[in-house]
Amino acid sequence: MLGEKYLKLDMSYWGRSQRLVIQILCIWALAAYGLPALVLETNKMKYLGFPLGYYNCAQVIPMFFGFLLLVFNGVQEGIEADQTDGKPAPEAASSSALNAMLAKVYVAYTGGFVFFVLFLGFLEAVGVPDQAIGILFVIFTLGMYAAIGIASRTSKSDDFYVAGRNVPPIFNGMATAADWMSGASFVGMAGTLYALGYDGLAYIIGWTGGYVLVSTVIAPYLRRFGSFTVPEFIASRYQSTVQLPGGKVVELSGVSRFLATIVLLSCSFTYLTAQVYSTGVIVSRFIGIQFEVAVFSGLIGVLFCSLLGGMRAVTYTQVAQYVILIIAYTVPAICMSTTQDDGFNKNNPVEFLAYGGTLQAITLREKEMVLLGLASKVTPYLEPKWRRVDFFALTFCLMVGTASLPHVLMRYFTTPSVRSARRSVTWSLGFILVLYMTAPAYAAFAKLEVYTNVIGTPLSVLPKWIFTYGKIGLTTVCGKAVTSVNEAIEACAQASSGDYLLKLKDLKISKDAMVIATPEIAGLPYTIAGLVSAGGLAASLSTADGLLLAISNALSHDIYFRLIDNKASIQKRLMISRVLLVVIALISAGTAASRPADILSMVAWAFSLAASGNFPALCLGIWWRRANAQGAIAGQICGWGLTLAYLLGTRYGGWALWGGISNVAAAVFGLPVGFAANIIVSLLTPPPPDEVLAMVDSLRDFKVTGEDLTAEELEDIKEKEEALARTQVPQVSNTAEATAVATAEESI
């Protein structure tokens, strides 16, 4: 019967996997957009002192995304177990041994770092100058990163490009979290929430929700393919030829590879420059050297990691950096949390549960400042100011952009298997949540401290931190970066310091100063401030490492090796990659040292550019067999081109915003155009070649009984352990060749 035909479920591995992904994404979308849509109504309800709508967006939704990934992994692994008669896929012996060894190393490392911080606290107590403590923090952390880079040096291409594909999920999750939590997240997230209040939660929802897309739609399939880079996958998936009118035959995979590399460069370079810029700010603040010198000093730590050991060194350095940055971020928040006694919490060290009363106090203080004449109008911290469409558009672009950023996706090429890649994404989100769930508390504690103890005080008793950060332009009083009480008096056009009370409009704090300055704002010991600087430095350097590798690998592997000299030896390719690392690092440092006015705002563009340029090609390449090279190229050009035009036109060309949508969310225009162009052109042109269709089928199939590896990777494991055997997963020729070259180098 017709009804039975359509109601009959596809019980194959791919059919069950498809239904699971659709179900997960429906629940994901409902949580991501349903709860924020009801924020005004739910804010009227209270939970532990929190307005429920705000708490849902700040804490519940991100945690729910993590829970959703746990469910997805469990069900998907159950589907895979059914393909092996209920037997779970065994882990490689080398992976288990490596996991145990790394656990011992990093537990010892964490203990050593905690002891180092306590030792510096002792030095502060006995009178060692603050600047000396700051110098010790910076030197210790940079020295540790350089030491790991030297210890992890390698001359193998698979180690250099993908860390040998044997990084355990939990450690790859830590490395990804460090790679992801750039200086913008570490330094800027709490500052964004401080400045925007509820609207800033769009960043938390968008960036955490993006990892659901990474795990369900993209990462496992890229790992199964076994490439070195994102452009490598796009080129291999979109193979085809076209004959020009003159009779010349053009290989379209080279065109799609080139366009994918352009997209990678466009969304990575400004991001990289911003990390180097953040490094310069932190080093110059806590060591006291000139900003330009600080930029190039911080660059040394980056190059030691990425230059000597590539992805292998960067991975293990990023794990160490995650340990430092998360300790640095949570310790001040916990210290401030334990001082709260607001009727709902008393000395509660769980910071993401302890700021409900603080939010209520902020609301009361906002009204009080207006009554006292300290502010003419205060925008409520807990209520949305943006249109809902603006909030949802930004959230959407950040989610899809997260699932498209090359330096994030390439981290999942380093895991031992497809299953490990999925688990790694879940670990990544878990480690990221530790920071993102702390950021709202950080912002709230700082907001109340400033509202209560700074706004309304005479100029004569302004706290020292205002002048400290005024020296580097991160705070202003009455429109000027002041460094003393006298300068504040002059800036506010007052005759004396005792009569004028500082008003809300008089004080401006850069969002980039908030996390670094909060320990000083809260009156915590300087050792805590130094710890935060070390964390910010770790966040900036870890992301810079990943971005440098993404750019240099794409240029050396996808442009030089694949398009210019496909007979280049392994040694020559690694040499080219290392030279490019240095060149790109120097260019980014030079750009950062010039303090460009637009570089930090352009960082947010990376997500829209990546989403519109990469996501249609990646998503359709995996999930729609009919997508072909002509469609992918059309989608890349139209989607990425429209997004770039909107960004540049609204920023520099005097264009009006379309529908009032900020250029930060430009992908809401480019992404659907990219999908539409890809689909329409694919349908109007011949289907992909049979070998490409076979490759797509291999991505969707489950044929192995253990680690889901390519034939070449199995051969590599056999050589190393002589104990593992796996069934092959078919690959298209050029990817198999790339992996075969990587494994063959064992004999070189």
Side-chain angles (χ1 to χ4, degrees), residues 160-171:
F160 192 88
Y161 288 118
V162 289
R165 300 194 197 275
N166 67 350
V167 182
I170 185 170
F171 293 102

Side-chain angles (χ1 to χ4, degrees), residues 143-195:
M144 284 298 301
Y145 306 152
I148 294 173
I150 293 172
S152 304
R153 61 189 182 277
T154 183
S155 59
K156 302 177 186 177
S157 64
D158 61 336
D159 280 345
F160 192 88
Y161 288 118
V162 289
R165 300 194 197 275
N166 67 350
V167 182
I170 185 170
F171 293 102
N172 194 55
M174 294 177 75
T176 305
D179 199 344
W180 171 255
M181 289 187 293
S182 62
S185 284
F186 185 94
V187 176
M189 176 54 70
T192 297
L193 293 172
Y194 177 94

Side-chain angles (χ1 to χ4, degrees), residues 59-359:
Q59 313 289 347
V60 174
I61 294 175
M63 285 192 293
F64 181 73
F65 290 150
F67 172 75
L68 206 56
L69 286 189
L70 289 174
V71 172
F72 171 70
N73 286 346
V75 178
Q76 185 65 49
E77 290 179 14
I79 294 173
E80 292 172 355
D82 290 343
Q83 308 300 308
T84 57
D85 297 325
K87 297 177 182 179
E91 293 290 341
S94 61
S95 179
S96 300
L98 180 61
N99 207 23
M101 184 271 289
L102 290 175
K104 293 178 182 178
V105 169
Y106 285 110
V107 166
Y109 167 83
T110 303
F113 180 71
V114 171
F115 176 80
F116 174 73
V117 173
L118 294 175
F119 174 69
L120 291 185
F122 169 76
L123 293 182
E124 180 182 6
V126 299
V128 173
D130 291 349
Q131 188 172 5
I133 293 174
I135 291 173
L136 287 174
F137 261 122
V138 172
I139 290 177
F140 174 82
T141 52
L142 286 179
M144 284 298 301
Y145 306 152
I148 294 173
I150 293 172
S152 304
R153 61 189 182 277
T154 183
S155 59
K156 302 177 186 177
S157 64
D158 61 336
D159 280 345
F160 192 88
Y161 288 118
V162 289
R165 300 194 197 275
N166 67 350
V167 182
I170 185 170
F171 293 102
N172 194 55
M174 294 177 75
T176 305
D179 199 344
W180 171 255
M181 289 187 293
S182 62
S185 284
F186 185 94
V187 176
M189 176 54 70
T192 297
L193 293 172
Y194 177 94
L196 299 179
Y198 168 81
D199 293 328
L201 297 177
Y203 289 92
I204 289 182
I205 296 173
W207 283 337
T208 55
Y211 279 88
V212 178
L213 286 178
V214 173
S215 183
T216 58
V217 179
I218 304 293
Y221 305 98
L222 293 185
R223 175 60 191 89
R224 179 168 290 164
F225 180 72
S227 62
F228 282 165
T229 65
V230 171
E232 177 89 41
F233 170 80
I234 290 176
S236 297
R237 169 59 180 86
Y238 294 109
Q239 295 184 65
S240 185
T241 58
V242 62
Q243 188 171 5
L244 300 180
K248 183 179 180 180
V249 176
V250 176
E251 175 55 61
L252 294 181
S253 66
V255 179
S256 61
R257 184 191 299 272
F258 178 76
L259 291 174
T261 304
I262 294 298
V263 172
L264 183 149
L265 292 173
S266 71
C267 64
S268 297
F269 183 76
T270 53
Y271 210 155
L272 170 63
T273 304
Q275 307 316 309
V276 179
Y277 180 92
S278 298
T279 300
V281 169
I282 294 169
V283 174
S284 64
R285 160 68 183 90
F286 286 93
I287 291 186
I289 61 177
Q290 188 178 354
F291 173 78
E292 292 76 10
V293 177
V295 165
F296 286 94
S297 300
L299 199 64
I300 296 173
V302 177
L303 287 176
F304 258 110
C305 300
S306 51
L307 187 62
L308 296 176
M311 180 60 84
R312 180 184 175 187
V314 165
T315 295
Y316 297 122
T317 303
Q318 285 175 335
V319 175
Q321 288 165 333
Y322 178 81
V323 171
I324 291 179
L325 74 86
I326 209 63
I327 291 174
Y329 203 87
T330 55
V331 165
I334 291 171
C335 290
M336 291 184 287
S337 177
T338 55
T339 65
Q340 303 301 307
D341 185 2
D342 51 25
F344 300 95
N345 296 278
K346 184 174 183 180
N347 309 126
N348 185 352
V350 186
E351 70 280 359
F352 60 85
L353 294 176
Y355 67 101
T358 302
L359 293 177

Side-chain angles (χ1 to χ4, degrees), residues 588-600:
S588 66
T591 306
S594 66
R595 299 176 186 252
D598 289 333
I599 193 68
L600 295 179

